[in-house]
Amino acid sequence: MDITVRSQHGHIPGSLQDLTASKMEGLGRFLRTITSIDVEVDRDGRPNRSNAFLVRVSVMTPGPVFRSKVICDDPMAGIDVAVERLSRRLKEFKRRRSGRPLHSRPKTAVLGTSGGTSVGVPGDTSGSSADEQLSGLIDAADAE
């Protein structure tokens, strides 16, 4: 993973570059396919915000590019906010991509012959399989 910390107008101290690089390395734990991270710290050019900093972070992957833009008074605080935003986005992307549901899987309901419902137990062969019951429910819904 290649991490670039730069500024268009001005100089970034070495301590800020090192701290930024160490925080950006932490994003690699959320998504292993990150190829590079580009961090730009610059003064905000608006006249009403003379002492504000603009922090732009781009995380490049083989698929989508994740970006965050923060305007703040302290560049380190802006980097912290950008890392927090990107970590949330990367976690959500990984969760959606994995196909895992957000919450744990609910227990399957097995319809009994007495008309009541019971919770299916893994390894219980007394009832019909959940696939057969699901296809029966779908067929019944289609018939209506």
Side-chain angles (χ1 to χ4, degrees), residues 19-71:
L19 213 59
T20 301
S22 67
K23 288 194 179 269
M24 294 301 158
E25 285 175 358
L27 292 175
R29 73 173 188 250
F30 298 114
L31 197 61
R32 302 276 182 224
T33 60
I34 295 175
T35 56
S36 66
I37 299 176
D38 185 34
V39 181
E40 183 180 336
V41 180
D42 207 359
R43 290 266 184 200
D44 190 15
R46 295 185 220 168
N48 60 351
R49 302 216 36 165
S50 62
N51 61 348
F53 288 90
L54 176 64
V55 177
R56 288 189 197 124
V57 181
S58 298
V59 177
M60 274 62 93
T61 65
V65 176
F66 299 92
R67 291 188 172 93
S68 180
K69 177 181 170 183
V70 180
I71 298 174

Coordinates of all heavy atoms in Angstrom, one line a residue, residues 19-71:
L19 N 2.7 10.9 11.3 CA 1.4 10.6 12.0 C 0.3 10.3 11.1 O -0.5 9.3 11.3 CB 1.1 11.8 12.9 CG 0.4 11.5 14.2 CD1 1.2 10.7 15.1 CD2 0.0 12.8 14.9
T20 N 0.2 11.0 10.0 CA -0.8 10.8 9.0 C -0.6 9.4 8.3 O -1.6 8.6 8.2 CB -0.8 11.9 7.9 OG1 -1.0 13.1 8.5 CG2 -1.8 11.6 6.8
A21 N 0.6 9.1 8.0 CA 0.9 7.8 7.4 C 0.5 6.6 8.3 O 0.0 5.6 7.9 CB 2.4 7.7 7.0
S22 N 0.8 6.8 9.6 CA 0.5 5.7 10.6 C -1.0 5.5 10.7 O -1.5 4.4 10.9 CB 1.2 6.0 11.9 OG 0.6 7.1 12.5
K23 N -1.8 6.6 10.7 CA -3.2 6.5 10.8 C -3.8 5.9 9.5 O -4.8 5.2 9.6 CB -3.8 7.9 11.1 CG -3.6 8.4 12.5 CD -4.4 9.6 12.8 CE -4.2 10.0 14.2 NZ -5.0 9.4 15.2
M24 N -3.2 6.3 8.4 CA -3.8 5.7 7.1 C -3.5 4.2 7.0 O -4.2 3.5 6.3 CB -3.2 6.5 5.9 CG -3.7 7.9 5.9 SD -5.4 8.1 5.8 CE -5.7 9.7 6.4
E25 N -2.4 3.8 7.6 CA -2.1 2.3 7.5 C -3.1 1.5 8.2 O -3.4 0.4 7.8 CB -0.7 2.1 8.1 CG 0.5 2.5 7.3 CD 1.8 2.3 7.9 OE1 1.8 1.9 9.1 OE2 2.8 2.6 7.3
G26 N -3.8 2.1 9.2 CA -4.9 1.4 9.9 C -6.1 1.1 9.0 O -6.8 0.2 9.3
L27 N -6.2 1.8 7.9 CA -7.4 1.6 7.0 C -7.2 0.3 6.3 O -8.2 -0.3 5.8 CB -7.5 2.7 6.0 CG -8.0 4.1 6.6 CD1 -7.9 5.1 5.5 CD2 -9.3 4.0 7.2
G28 N -6.0 -0.2 6.2 CA -5.7 -1.5 5.5 C -6.3 -2.7 6.1 O -6.6 -3.7 5.5
R29 N -6.7 -2.6 7.4 CA -7.3 -3.7 8.1 C -8.7 -3.9 7.7 O -9.3 -5.0 7.8 CB -7.2 -3.6 9.6 CG -8.0 -2.6 10.2 CD -8.0 -2.6 11.7 NE -9.0 -1.8 12.3 CZ -8.7 -0.7 12.9 NH1 -7.4 -0.3 13.1 NH2 -9.6 0.1 13.4
F30 N -9.4 -2.9 7.1 CA -10.8 -3.0 6.7 C -10.9 -3.6 5.3 O -11.9 -4.3 5.0 CB -11.4 -1.6 6.7 CG -11.5 -1.0 8.1 CD1 -10.8 0.1 8.4 CD2 -12.2 -1.6 9.1 CE1 -10.8 0.7 9.6 CE2 -12.2 -1.1 10.4 CZ -11.5 0.1 10.6
L31 N -9.9 -3.3 4.4 CA -10.0 -3.8 3.1 C -8.6 -4.1 2.6 O -7.8 -3.2 2.5 CB -10.7 -2.7 2.2 CG -11.2 -3.2 0.8 CD1 -12.3 -4.2 1.0 CD2 -11.8 -2.0 0.1
R32 N -8.3 -5.4 2.3 CA -7.0 -5.8 1.9 C -6.6 -5.3 0.5 O -5.4 -5.4 0.2 CB -6.9 -7.3 2.0 CG -7.2 -7.9 3.3 CD -6.0 -7.8 4.2 NE -6.3 -8.4 5.5 CZ -6.0 -7.9 6.7 NH1 -5.4 -6.8 6.7 NH2 -6.3 -8.5 7.8
T33 N -7.5 -4.9 -0.3 CA -7.2 -4.6 -1.7 C -6.8 -3.2 -2.0 O -6.8 -2.7 -3.1 CB -8.4 -5.0 -2.6 OG1 -9.5 -4.3 -2.2 CG2 -8.6 -6.5 -2.5
I34 N -6.6 -2.4 -0.9 CA -6.2 -1.0 -1.1 C -4.8 -0.9 -1.8 O -3.9 -1.5 -1.3 CB -6.2 -0.3 0.3 CG1 -7.6 -0.2 0.9 CG2 -5.6 1.1 0.1 CD1 -7.6 0.4 2.3
T35 N -4.8 -0.2 -2.9 CA -3.5 -0.1 -3.6 C -2.7 1.2 -3.2 O -1.5 1.1 -3.0 CB -3.7 0.0 -5.1 OG1 -4.6 1.1 -5.4 CG2 -4.3 -1.3 -5.6
S36 N -3.4 2.3 -3.0 CA -2.7 3.5 -2.5 C -3.7 4.4 -1.8 O -4.9 4.4 -2.0 CB -2.1 4.2 -3.7 OG -3.1 4.7 -4.6
I37 N -3.1 5.3 -1.0 CA -3.9 6.3 -0.3 C -3.2 7.7 -0.5 O -2.0 7.8 -0.4 CB -3.9 6.0 1.2 CG1 -4.6 4.7 1.5 CG2 -4.7 7.1 2.0 CD1 -4.6 4.3 3.0
D38 N -4.0 8.6 -1.0 CA -3.5 10.0 -1.3 C -4.1 10.9 -0.3 O -5.3 11.1 -0.2 CB -3.8 10.4 -2.7 CG -3.2 11.7 -3.1 OD1 -2.1 12.0 -2.6 OD2 -3.8 12.4 -3.9
V39 N -3.2 11.6 0.5 CA -3.7 12.6 1.5 C -3.2 14.0 1.1 O -2.0 14.1 0.8 CB -3.2 12.3 2.9 CG1 -3.7 13.3 3.9 CG2 -3.6 10.8 3.3
E40 N -4.1 14.9 1.0 CA -3.7 16.3 0.7 C -4.2 17.2 1.8 O -5.4 17.3 2.1 CB -4.4 16.7 -0.6 CG -4.0 18.1 -1.1 CD -4.6 18.5 -2.4 OE1 -5.0 17.6 -3.2 OE2 -4.7 19.7 -2.6
V41 N -3.2 17.9 2.4 CA -3.5 18.9 3.5 C -3.2 20.2 2.9 O -2.0 20.5 2.5 CB -2.7 18.6 4.7 CG1 -3.0 19.6 5.8 CG2 -2.9 17.2 5.2
D42 N -4.1 21.2 2.9 CA -3.9 22.5 2.4 C -4.7 23.5 3.2 O -5.6 23.2 3.9 CB -4.4 22.5 0.9 CG -3.6 23.5 0.1 OD1 -2.8 24.2 0.6 OD2 -3.9 23.5 -1.1
R43 N -4.4 24.8 3.0 CA -5.1 25.8 3.6 C -6.4 26.0 2.8 O -6.4 25.9 1.6 CB -4.4 27.2 3.5 CG -3.2 27.2 4.5 CD -3.6 27.8 5.7 NE -2.5 27.9 6.6 CZ -2.6 28.1 7.9 NH1 -3.8 28.1 8.5 NH2 -1.5 28.2 8.7
D44 N -7.5 26.3 3.5 CA -8.8 26.6 2.8 C -8.7 28.0 2.3 O -8.4 28.9 3.0 CB -10.0 26.4 3.8 CG -11.3 26.5 3.1 OD1 -11.3 26.3 1.9 OD2 -12.3 26.7 3.8
G45 N -9.0 28.1 1.0 CA -8.8 29.4 0.3 C -9.9 30.4 0.4 O -9.8 31.5 -0.1
R46 N -10.9 30.1 1.2 CA -12.0 31.0 1.4 C -11.6 32.2 2.3 O -11.0 31.9 3.3 CB -13.2 30.3 1.9 CG -13.8 29.2 1.0 CD -15.0 28.7 1.5 NE -15.0 27.2 1.3 CZ -15.8 26.4 1.9 NH1 -16.7 26.8 2.7 NH2 -15.8 25.1 1.6
P47 N -12.0 33.4 1.9 CA -11.6 34.5 2.8 C -12.3 34.5 4.2 O -11.7 35.0 5.1 CB -12.1 35.7 2.0 CG -12.8 35.2 0.8 CD -12.7 33.8 0.7
N48 N -13.5 34.0 4.3 CA -14.1 34.0 5.6 C -13.6 32.9 6.5 O -13.9 32.9 7.7 CB -15.6 33.8 5.4 CG -16.0 32.5 4.8 OD1 -15.1 31.8 4.3 ND2 -17.3 32.2 4.7
R49 N -12.7 32.0 6.1 CA -12.1 31.0 6.9 C -10.6 31.1 6.7 O -10.0 30.2 6.1 CB -12.6 29.6 6.5 CG -14.1 29.5 6.6 CD -14.6 28.3 7.0 NE -13.8 27.6 8.0 CZ -14.3 26.6 8.7 NH1 -15.5 26.2 8.5 NH2 -13.5 25.9 9.6
S50 N -10.0 32.1 7.2 CA -8.6 32.4 7.0 C -7.6 31.3 7.6 O -6.6 31.1 7.1 CB -8.2 33.8 7.4 OG -8.4 33.8 8.8
N51 N -8.0 30.7 8.7 CA -7.1 29.8 9.4 C -7.6 28.4 9.3 O -7.1 27.5 10.1 CB -6.9 30.2 10.8 CG -8.2 30.2 11.6 OD1 -9.3 30.1 11.1 ND2 -8.1 30.3 12.9
A52 N -8.4 28.1 8.4 CA -9.0 26.7 8.2 C -8.1 25.9 7.3 O -7.4 26.4 6.4 CB -10.4 26.7 7.7
F53 N -8.1 24.6 7.5 CA -7.4 23.6 6.7 C -8.4 22.7 5.9 O -9.4 22.4 6.4 CB -6.5 22.7 7.6 CG -5.3 23.5 8.1 CD1 -5.3 24.1 9.3 CD2 -4.1 23.5 7.4 CE1 -4.3 24.7 9.9 CE2 -3.0 24.2 7.9 CZ -3.1 24.8 9.1
L54 N -8.0 22.3 4.8 CA -8.7 21.4 3.9 C -8.0 20.1 3.8 O -6.8 20.1 3.4 CB -8.9 22.0 2.5 CG -9.7 21.2 1.5 CD1 -11.1 20.9 1.9 CD2 -9.6 21.9 0.2
V55 N -8.6 19.0 4.2 CA -8.0 17.7 4.2 C -8.8 16.8 3.2 O -10.0 16.6 3.4 CB -7.9 17.1 5.6 CG1 -7.3 15.7 5.5 CG2 -7.2 17.9 6.6
R56 N -8.1 16.4 2.2 CA -8.7 15.5 1.2 C -8.0 14.2 1.2 O -6.8 14.1 1.1 CB -8.6 16.0 -0.2 CG -9.5 17.2 -0.5 CD -9.5 17.5 -1.9 NE -10.0 18.9 -2.1 CZ -9.3 19.8 -2.7 NH1 -8.2 19.6 -3.2 NH2 -9.9 21.0 -2.9
V57 N -8.7 13.1 1.4 CA -8.1 11.7 1.4 C -8.8 10.9 0.3 O -10.1 10.9 0.2 CB -8.3 11.1 2.8 CG1 -7.7 9.7 2.8 CG2 -7.7 11.9 3.9
S58 N -8.0 10.2 -0.5 CA -8.6 9.3 -1.5 C -7.9 8.0 -1.3 O -6.7 7.8 -1.2 CB -8.2 9.8 -2.9 OG -8.8 11.1 -3.2
V59 N -8.8 6.9 -1.2 CA -8.3 5.6 -1.0 C -8.6 4.8 -2.3 O -9.8 4.7 -2.7 CB -9.0 4.9 0.2 CG1 -8.6 3.4 0.3 CG2 -8.8 5.6 1.4
M60 N -7.6 4.4 -3.0 CA -7.7 3.7 -4.3 C -7.7 2.2 -4.1 O -6.8 1.7 -3.4 CB -6.6 4.1 -5.2 CG -6.8 5.4 -6.0 SD -7.0 6.8 -5.1 CE -5.4 7.5 -5.1
T61 N -8.7 1.5 -4.7 CA -8.7 0.1 -4.8 C -8.9 -0.3 -6.2 O -9.2 0.5 -7.1 CB -9.9 -0.4 -3.9 OG1 -11.1 0.0 -4.5 CG2 -9.8 0.1 -2.5
P62 N -8.8 -1.6 -6.5 CA -9.0 -2.1 -7.9 C -10.5 -1.8 -8.3 O -10.7 -1.6 -9.5 CB -8.8 -3.6 -7.8 CG -7.9 -3.8 -6.7 CD -8.2 -2.7 -5.7
G63 N -11.4 -1.7 -7.4 CA -12.8 -1.4 -7.7 C -13.1 0.1 -7.5 O -12.5 1.0 -8.2
P64 N -13.9 0.5 -6.5 CA -14.2 1.9 -6.3 C -13.1 2.7 -5.6 O -12.2 2.1 -5.1 CB -15.4 1.8 -5.4 CG -15.3 0.5 -4.7 CD -14.6 -0.4 -5.6
V65 N -13.2 4.0 -5.7 CA -12.3 4.9 -5.0 C -13.1 5.5 -3.9 O -14.2 6.1 -4.2 CB -11.8 6.0 -6.0 CG1 -10.9 6.9 -5.3 CG2 -11.0 5.3 -7.1
F66 N -12.6 5.5 -2.7 CA -13.3 6.1 -1.6 C -12.6 7.4 -1.3 O -11.4 7.5 -1.1 CB -13.1 5.2 -0.3 CG -13.8 3.8 -0.6 CD1 -13.0 2.8 -1.1 CD2 -15.1 3.6 -0.3 CE1 -13.6 1.5 -1.3 CE2 -15.7 2.4 -0.5 CZ -15.0 1.3 -1.0
R67 N -13.4 8.5 -1.1 CA -12.9 9.8 -0.9 C -13.6 10.4 0.4 O -14.7 10.2 0.7 CB -13.2 10.7 -2.1 CG -12.4 10.3 -3.3 CD -12.5 11.4 -4.4 NE -11.6 11.1 -5.5 CZ -11.9 10.4 -6.5 NH1 -13.1 9.9 -6.6 NH2 -11.0 10.2 -7.5
S68 N -12.8 11.3 1.0 CA -13.3 12.1 2.1 C -12.7 13.5 2.1 O -11.5 13.6 1.8 CB -13.0 11.4 3.5 OG -13.5 12.1 4.5
K69 N -13.5 14.5 2.4 CA -13.1 15.9 2.4 C -13.5 16.5 3.7 O -14.7 16.5 4.0 CB -13.7 16.6 1.2 CG -13.4 18.1 1.1 CD -14.1 18.7 -0.1 CE -14.0 20.2 -0.1 NZ -14.7 20.8 -1.2
V70 N -12.6 17.1 4.4 CA -12.9 17.7 5.7 C -12.3 19.1 5.8 O -11.1 19.3 5.4 CB -12.3 16.8 6.9 CG1 -12.6 17.4 8.2 CG2 -12.8 15.4 6.8
I71 N -13.1 20.1 6.3 CA -12.6 21.4 6.5 C -12.6 21.6 8.0 O -13.6 21.4 8.7 CB -13.5 22.5 5.8 CG1 -13.4 22.2 4.3 CG2 -13.0 23.9 6.2 CD1 -14.4 23.1 3.5

